[in-house]
Amino acid sequence: MTMLKLFGIVFFCGLLSPSQEVLSGLSCAVSPGAMQNVLSDAILQNGLLQQHLQGLVLPNIMGEGGLLSSPTSITGLHLVRVRLPKLSVVLLPGIGVQLTIAAKLELSGKCLVGLLSELIDILVDVNITANIKCTNYESGTVQVVIEDCLCILGAIKIKLLSGLLSLSVNEIVLNQLRATLPGLLCPVVDIVVNLVNIQLLGTLNAVIPVGTAGTIHYQLASLPFTSGLFLGLDLDGAVKQVGGSIIPHDSSPSALPPLLDKLLVLGLRQSFLNAVLSLLLQIPPQTFTCTPEVFSGASRLQEAIRTLVPAACSTCHGTSPLSIRLTLSGNPLILLEENKATVELSVMIQVFIKRLDGPILNLLLLKADLGLNARVSIAGGRLVLGLSLG
């Protein structure tokens, strides 16, 4: 069983690139649903938005009038929690990604109306929409830019502990929040999106060890690109042997199949997999000890062994066992066909007897090409190739 760890192909920003090509053997298409799931986890479920909104500094609200024509002031207004946050993603062809966050912000502070001071609670619906694109690609990294951030306030509910809420207090709060909140929330979203970008870029620039034989280094190869149906990513993949020498592979362009009902499609070129297999399948010579009676059937090889062994053993002393040694010759090749994968191995088959009183007696030396059926699956975040003799 051969296992190759899958890449952390999760990304969210995009800009049209000149072509939708596969660079260095790897490419993927990500659906809006997959992007929405990832961003919702990173921004909402992990508490990143709540964490940065906690630092909001809301200005004091001052106003004339109020209960019995007394001046009104609201101080110490701060965020208590973010209620029912929801995130949605829309792809903008040629631009990037439109991110929308809807939530209810629960605010609390102190309200002074005349000589009466009490707690005030404010619940405000907010809807933040930001257009996100990537720019300035360099060495596997991109810069995230937010354009046209729009923050719209919906329903606002105000509650005083005493329940005595005048129309003037309500109007003062509404006007002040609509004037100040959008300017405070959009910079927070910008910070959060850039932090998420840094986290996710780390999944697109990694070095994966392949046992002790070498490494696979992959990183973003160009700016992401968007269509109306998916976000596409091209990756550079370098397969290196121990010592740093790179195993070459064909990097000519190739198109991905449509997403259809899939959240993500990852394309690996056959030539790239061949380079990886040359690291994975470094099998040392295998020796098997057996007796002539083990061989049965009607194949030419088996008949030849049954014929050769008695003649060779006539010069042996004692009952030396028959041995077979298999040695890998050359690099393995994987052949990809529709609904089928085959791994071809060239091996040297050595049939010999180790005499009790002397050197090895070779009976047969044969070069053979083996075809192994490959069962491809994904388990535990890894691409699994199950090989069996065909």
Side-chain angles (χ1 to χ4, degrees), residues 42 106 217 280:
E106 184 179 334
H217 179 202
L280 289 173

Side-chain angles (χ1 to χ4, degrees), residues 12 43 99 132 144 146 188-197:
F12 66 96
I43 294 177
L99 174 69
I132 305 171
V144 168
I146 290 186
V188 171
V189 172
D190 183 72
I191 292 172
V192 168
V193 167
N194 274 279
L195 288 174
V196 172
N197 177 52

Side-chain angles (χ1 to χ4, degrees), residues 12-35:
F12 66 96
C13 58
L15 188 68
L16 278 179
S17 69
S19 64
Q20 298 180 8
E21 296 182 350
V22 176
L23 300 182
S24 294
L26 299 93
S27 185
C28 74
V30 186
S31 73
M35 295 164 54

Side-chain angles (χ1 to χ4, degrees), residues 232-270:
L233 300 169
D234 289 335
L235 303 175
D236 269 324
V239 183
K240 296 183 179 181
Q241 296 175 316
V242 172
S245 61
I246 295 178
I247 300 175
H249 62 272
D250 179 22
S251 59
S252 57
S254 176
L256 284 173
L259 275 172
L260 298 179
D261 59 342
K262 306 297 182 183
L263 292 178
L264 181 146
V265 172
L266 173 64
L268 303 177
R269 286 188 59 84
Q270 179 173 294

Side-chain angles (χ1 to χ4, degrees), residues 184-310:
L184 296 173
L185 294 178
C186 279
V188 171
V189 172
D190 183 72
I191 292 172
V192 168
V193 167
N194 274 279
L195 288 174
V196 172
N197 177 52
I198 294 172
Q199 294 172 8
L200 297 183
L201 270 179
T203 71
L204 293 175
N205 190 341
V207 177
I208 298 176
V210 183
T212 59
T215 60
I216 300 173
H217 179 202
Y218 67 91
Q219 66 179 16
L220 197 64
S222 63
L223 283 172
F225 54 88
T226 54
S227 71
L229 299 176
F230 67 89
L231 178 142
L233 300 169
D234 289 335
L235 303 175
D236 269 324
V239 183
K240 296 183 179 181
Q241 296 175 316
V242 172
S245 61
I246 295 178
I247 300 175
H249 62 272
D250 179 22
S251 59
S252 57
S254 176
L256 284 173
L259 275 172
L260 298 179
D261 59 342
K262 306 297 182 183
L263 292 178
L264 181 146
V265 172
L266 173 64
L268 303 177
R269 286 188 59 84
Q270 179 173 294
S271 57
F272 175 77
L273 289 177
N274 282 333
V276 174
L277 283 177
S278 65
L279 284 182
L280 289 173
L281 296 182
Q282 295 192 4
I283 306 171
Q286 304 291 313
T287 301
F288 307 94
T289 302
C290 55
T291 61
E293 287 75 15
V294 170
F295 298 94
S296 62
S299 73
R300 286 187 229 176
L301 176 59
Q302 291 164 350
E303 292 293 341
I305 292 175
R306 281 204 298 266
T307 302
L308 288 171
V309 168

Side-chain angles (χ1 to χ4, degrees), residues 99-363:
L99 174 69
T100 300
I101 299 175
K104 296 179 181 290
L105 303 185
E106 184 179 334
L107 309 174
S108 185
K110 292 183 179 180
C111 179
L112 178 64
V113 181
L115 300 177
L116 181 63
S117 177
E118 57 181 317
L119 294 176
I120 184 171
D121 294 321
I122 303 172
L123 188 64
V124 53
D125 291 348
V126 298
N127 193 287
I128 308 168
T129 300
N131 293 341
I132 305 171
K133 73 174 186 179
C134 289
T135 185
N136 298 335
Y137 168 82
E138 183 179 0
S139 300
T141 64
V142 293
Q143 180 182 354
V144 168
V145 177
I146 290 186
E147 297 181 342
D148 304 323
C149 180
L150 178 64
C151 179
I152 299 177
L153 302 189
I156 299 178
K157 297 180 181 179
I158 305 171
K159 179 182 177 182
L160 288 174
L161 187 62
S162 65
L164 299 175
L165 182 63
S166 68
L167 293 177
S168 60
V169 171
N170 190 71
E171 190 67 23
I172 290 170
V173 172
L174 290 178
N175 292 336
Q176 187 72 13
L177 290 182
R178 284 173 178 156
T180 58
L181 260 185
L184 296 173
L185 294 178
C186 279
V188 171
V189 172
D190 183 72
I191 292 172
V192 168
V193 167
N194 274 279
L195 288 174
V196 172
N197 177 52
I198 294 172
Q199 294 172 8
L200 297 183
L201 270 179
T203 71
L204 293 175
N205 190 341
V207 177
I208 298 176
V210 183
T212 59
T215 60
I216 300 173
H217 179 202
Y218 67 91
Q219 66 179 16
L220 197 64
S222 63
L223 283 172
F225 54 88
T226 54
S227 71
L229 299 176
F230 67 89
L231 178 142
L233 300 169
D234 289 335
L235 303 175
D236 269 324
V239 183
K240 296 183 179 181
Q241 296 175 316
V242 172
S245 61
I246 295 178
I247 300 175
H249 62 272
D250 179 22
S251 59
S252 57
S254 176
L256 284 173
L259 275 172
L260 298 179
D261 59 342
K262 306 297 182 183
L263 292 178
L264 181 146
V265 172
L266 173 64
L268 303 177
R269 286 188 59 84
Q270 179 173 294
S271 57
F272 175 77
L273 289 177
N274 282 333
V276 174
L277 283 177
S278 65
L279 284 182
L280 289 173
L281 296 182
Q282 295 192 4
I283 306 171
Q286 304 291 313
T287 301
F288 307 94
T289 302
C290 55
T291 61
E293 287 75 15
V294 170
F295 298 94
S296 62
S299 73
R300 286 187 229 176
L301 176 59
Q302 291 164 350
E303 292 293 341
I305 292 175
R306 281 204 298 266
T307 302
L308 288 171
V309 168
C313 285
S314 64
T315 62
C316 301
H317 298 287
T319 56
S320 301
L322 180 70
S323 298
I324 299 178
R325 174 172 292 176
L326 300 179
T327 305
L328 191 62
S329 174
N331 292 325
L333 296 176
I334 187 168
L335 302 179
L336 302 178
E337 304 173 72
E338 187 173 356
N339 298 322
K340 182 181 179 182
T342 306
V343 174
E344 292 189 349
L345 296 178
S346 292
V347 297
M348 296 298 296
I349 302 175
Q350 180 187 7
V351 182
F352 64 93
I353 293 175
K354 187 173 182 181
R355 295 183 294 189
L356 299 180
D357 60 346
I360 290 175
L361 175 63
N362 285 317
L363 303 179

